[in-house]
Amino acid sequence: MSIRIKMLLSFTGMLVISLLFILLTASLYTIAATGDLQSFRDIYKVHYQINPLTEQGESIFQEMKFLAKNDPDDLQDKVLLREYDMKLRAEKSGLYVRRENSQIFESLTFNQPELKQALPAYDLNNYQIRSTFNIGERFYAYAKFDFQYSDGERGSIFVIRERSPFAELTRKLLPVMSVLLIGVLIIANLLLFRWITRSFIKPLSQLRSSAEHIKNGNLSFKIQLNSNDEVGQLSEAFESMRNQLQRSYALRQQDEANRKELISNISHDLRTPITNIKGYIEGIRDGVANTPEKMESYVNIIHSKAVSMDKLVDELFLYSKLDLNQEPFLFETVDIADFLEDSIEELRYDMEDKGVALHWNNQVSGPAMAALDAEKLKRTVVNVVDNALKYMENEHKRFEITLQADEKWITMVFKDNGRGIPEEALPYIFERFYRAEQSRNSSTGGSGLGLAIARQIIDGHGGLIWAESRPNDGTSIYIKLKRLNEERNY
């Protein structure tokens, strides 16, 4: 449920509760006063039988009552009666005067044909001079006085006022109802505040506390998600951000560890040839190489170590540029079959010297065109082959290159029959600086960056590279590149 709907329901609920409480209180008051809900209107009759007129209306009635006792014949003067009626109209009342069964004066305020029949009979003793009566659904309160004219005929004066019982009772009960309404609103607001606090303030406070934890570098906590509204969605997004930050921090820590390991490994790889070079140079300076044959051997070893150092520095420089996206790719349309055949010719002699049987298996009929940077892809092939040759310890060494293709992809497979890669290490062999397993240990030579560089280059081509291996059954490196349906120049 959204916050907007919650707020709408809250205020609507407060309004409905207040109105229901007012109606309930009014009903309870009526029952308490009458003892019967069906006698609801009786309470108004009782009230208006005691106080039928306003204060000013009552004053006019007393004046006319005095006149009826002392000069009753004056109450037949219609001009005088009209003056009294005008005064009563200001009080929203009216005057009615009768003589025996005839009407002497009726105020225009009433406009009620049944008024004469609704009035009570004569009571010269005036036991009840204030009461109420109904004409249909209309409710009237009155004050009357019965008297005798000078000729002995009976007469009556009525000061009548139409009343609204509900409005009058509301006016009487307004102070009590106001106090009760204020009490209800206070309680409702307290309950609403508690609900809003639990629904909104508490989660927001949790988010603030979480932000403080993150600011202090503490990411090892979890935000509790308790709702699906906007605050809950914010908490979910905040928790997702915290998880991402925690993963990023873990990766940074891993990168830092990898960087330290790289520095350690590179320092070792550089220190070893430098130490060897220094040793052989000192041997030359001390005259140990005292024959032309020894001198030539020492110089060749020094040259070999310098070449190894140069290759290591070159790989570090290339990987750094690839990692920072600072190495440009010069794409051109090339037939992969021709490319691999040229690469095999360059590799064949070196592999034959190492006793490796090289096999070329072209399963593609016709050209297999792709957009590639030939120099960088050749570097990838060389790195894959060098990595395989390092771990071939079989008596009969074998290396196979296979080319496959479908309508969308070209696949190159490089398979050796070496000792293979442990299953737990296989997912990490293309990661940068990964040297944790024996199959990537620096004791085998090289920088350990060959396959990481290969992955960077293939990613730059928009392709895929992965490995499949089983211990003692060799390793297969797969490289997939997008195939072009027609020649294009880049």
Side-chain angles (χ1 to χ4, degrees):
M1 185 184 296
S2 68
I3 293 177
R4 181 180 299 175
I5 294 177
K6 284 186 177 181
M7 297 300 294
L8 177 62
L9 291 178
S10 300
F11 289 110
T12 303
M14 287 183 61
L15 178 61
V16 171
I17 290 173
S18 300
L19 293 176
L20 289 177
F21 184 79
I22 292 173
L23 293 176
L24 178 62
T25 304
S27 300
L28 293 176
Y29 181 86
T30 302
I31 294 173
T34 64
D36 183 6
L37 189 61
Q38 299 297 328
S39 303
F40 187 71
R41 300 189 62 162
D42 291 346
I43 186 173
Y44 308 113
K45 291 183 178 181
V46 172
H47 172 74
Y48 292 122
Q49 284 174 358
I50 299 174
N51 300 294
L53 305 177
T54 64
E55 183 177 348
Q56 184 65 25
E58 182 69 21
S59 176
I60 296 173
F61 171 71
Q62 293 297 333
E63 184 179 339
M64 295 184 70
K65 180 180 174 182
F66 178 81
L67 188 62
K69 290 180 178 180
N70 296 285
D71 298 303
D73 291 340
D74 289 347
L75 294 176
Q76 298 184 83
D77 185 354
K78 293 187 177 181
V79 175
L80 178 63
L81 295 176
R82 192 173 295 112
E83 291 178 358
Y84 280 121
D85 183 57
M86 292 297 294
K87 295 179 181 179
L88 289 172
R89 284 188 187 183
E91 300 299 316
K92 297 182 179 179
S93 302
L95 177 64
Y96 187 92
V97 181
R98 67 183 177 181
R99 177 185 174 93
E100 290 296 339
N101 293 325
S102 63
Q103 169 190 308
I104 294 180
F105 183 85
E106 179 181 354
S107 174
L108 297 176
T109 304
F110 303 132
N111 191 24
Q112 185 61 261
E114 300 178 4
L115 179 62
K116 181 178 180 180
Q117 290 75 18
L119 295 176
Y122 285 99
D123 177 19
L124 295 177
N125 293 320
N126 291 304
Y127 290 121
Q128 186 175 6
I129 64 173
R130 292 176 176 81
S131 188
T132 62
F133 64 88
N134 293 80
I135 301 177
E137 295 298 323
R138 301 178 72 174
F139 180 68
Y140 297 89
Y142 68 88
K144 81 174 180 72
F145 182 75
D146 294 330
F147 61 94
Q148 285 184 322
Y149 289 98
S150 59
D151 58 3
E153 291 193 357
R154 296 173 298 179
S156 301
I157 55 173
F158 290 88
V159 176
I160 305 172
R161 186 181 186 191
E162 186 174 3
R163 308 305 296 260
S164 172
F166 292 97
E168 186 66 19
L169 183 61
T170 301
R171 183 181 65 83
K172 295 293 184 180
L173 298 180
L174 183 61
V176 177
M177 297 301 297
S178 298
V179 173
L180 292 176
L181 179 60
I182 292 173
V184 170
L185 291 177
I186 291 175
I187 295 174
N189 273 284
L190 289 175
L191 295 175
L192 180 61
F193 175 76
R194 185 171 183 271
W195 182 47
I196 291 178
T197 300
R198 292 175 62 89
S199 300
F200 308 138
I201 307 302
K202 186 176 179 181
L204 291 177
S205 178
Q206 185 183 25
L207 288 178
R208 182 190 59 78
S209 177
S210 300
E212 291 290 334
H213 283 304
I214 293 177
K215 184 179 73 173
N216 295 329
N218 176 23
L219 297 171
S220 300
F221 63 91
K222 185 175 181 180
I223 299 176
Q224 299 296 328
L225 305 177
N226 299 318
S227 63
N228 294 322
D229 56 17
E230 289 86 344
V231 176
Q233 294 170 5
L234 176 61
S235 298
E236 183 178 2
F238 201 93
E239 174 65 9
S240 177
M241 180 189 71
R242 184 197 66 81
N243 287 329
Q244 186 64 32
L245 286 174
Q246 191 173 31
R247 287 192 293 268
S248 299
Y249 180 75
L251 288 174
R252 190 182 72 177
Q253 293 293 98
Q254 184 62 43
D255 287 346
E256 182 67 17
N258 289 337
R259 184 184 66 82
K260 292 179 180 179
E261 184 179 1
L262 172 69
I263 293 174
S264 176
N265 290 334
I266 295 304
S267 298
H268 176 269
D269 290 345
L270 289 174
R271 185 180 294 111
T272 299
I274 289 175
T275 302
N276 290 335
I277 290 173
K278 288 172 62 178
Y280 284 107
I281 291 176
E282 289 177 359
I284 293 174
R285 291 177 61 184
D286 294 341
V288 176
N290 51 11
T291 64
E293 292 78 8
K294 284 187 177 182
M295 179 64 72
E296 183 179 1
S297 176
Y298 277 33
V299 170
N300 289 337
I301 292 173
I302 292 172
H303 179 267
S304 175
K305 298 299 181 181
V307 170
S308 176
M309 290 175 59
D310 182 67
K311 183 179 179 181
L312 176 59
V313 173
D314 179 62
E315 286 190 341
L316 287 171
F317 183 65
L318 176 60
Y319 182 82
S320 176
K321 292 177 67 176
L322 289 170
D323 193 45
L324 297 174
N325 295 320
Q326 294 180 351
E327 179 67 16
F329 284 77
L330 303 176
F331 291 102
E332 56 183 337
T333 302
V334 176
D335 186 346
I336 297 292
D338 293 341
F339 169 80
L340 286 178
E341 288 176 357
D342 293 341
S343 300
I344 289 171
E345 288 301 319
E346 296 180 10
L347 295 170
R348 187 181 301 278
Y349 298 105
D350 185 48
M351 298 183 75
E352 287 178 354
D353 290 340
K354 296 179 180 180
V356 179
L358 179 60
H359 297 271
W360 162 236
N361 182 14
N362 184 3
Q363 300 179 3
V364 180
S365 59
M369 310 304 294
L372 53 88
D373 186 323
E375 182 179 351
K376 290 184 175 58
L377 187 60
K378 184 175 292 185
R379 181 65 174 266
T380 300
V381 172
V382 170
N383 286 356
V384 170
V385 172
D386 285 348
N387 193 74
L389 294 179
K390 292 174 187 176
Y391 309 113
M392 280 191 185
E393 299 173 353
N394 298 357
E395 182 178 354
H396 301 288
K397 300 176 182 179
R398 176 185 174 87
F399 192 85
E400 182 178 355
I401 301 177
T402 302
L403 180 63
Q404 303 169 345
D406 55 27
E407 293 182 357
K408 295 183 178 180
W409 295 95
I410 298 171
T411 305
M412 295 174 280
V413 185
F414 302 88
K415 179 175 177 57
D416 64 62
N417 64 342
R419 68 189 184 199
I421 301 173
E423 183 178 356
E424 62 273 12
L426 194 61
Y428 308 105
I429 63 173
F430 294 100
E431 288 189 4
R432 55 184 179 179
F433 312 140
Y434 182 77
R435 298 172 63 104
E437 300 298 329
Q438 184 178 0
S439 60
R440 298 287 302 274
N441 195 278
S442 60
S443 63
T444 60
S447 65
L449 292 173
L451 291 183
I453 290 174
R455 187 181 70 172
Q456 292 275 25
I457 292 174
I458 297 304
D459 288 346
H461 282 77
L464 301 171
I465 182 170
W466 73 94
E468 295 178 0
S469 180
R470 288 186 298 179
N472 302 318
D473 194 28
T475 301
S476 297
I477 303 293
Y478 292 82
I479 297 176
K480 289 184 71 171
L481 298 175
K482 292 181 182 178
R483 184 174 186 176
L484 299 179
N485 294 324
E486 60 181 2
E487 293 189 5
R488 293 184 292 181
N489 295 323
Y490 288 77

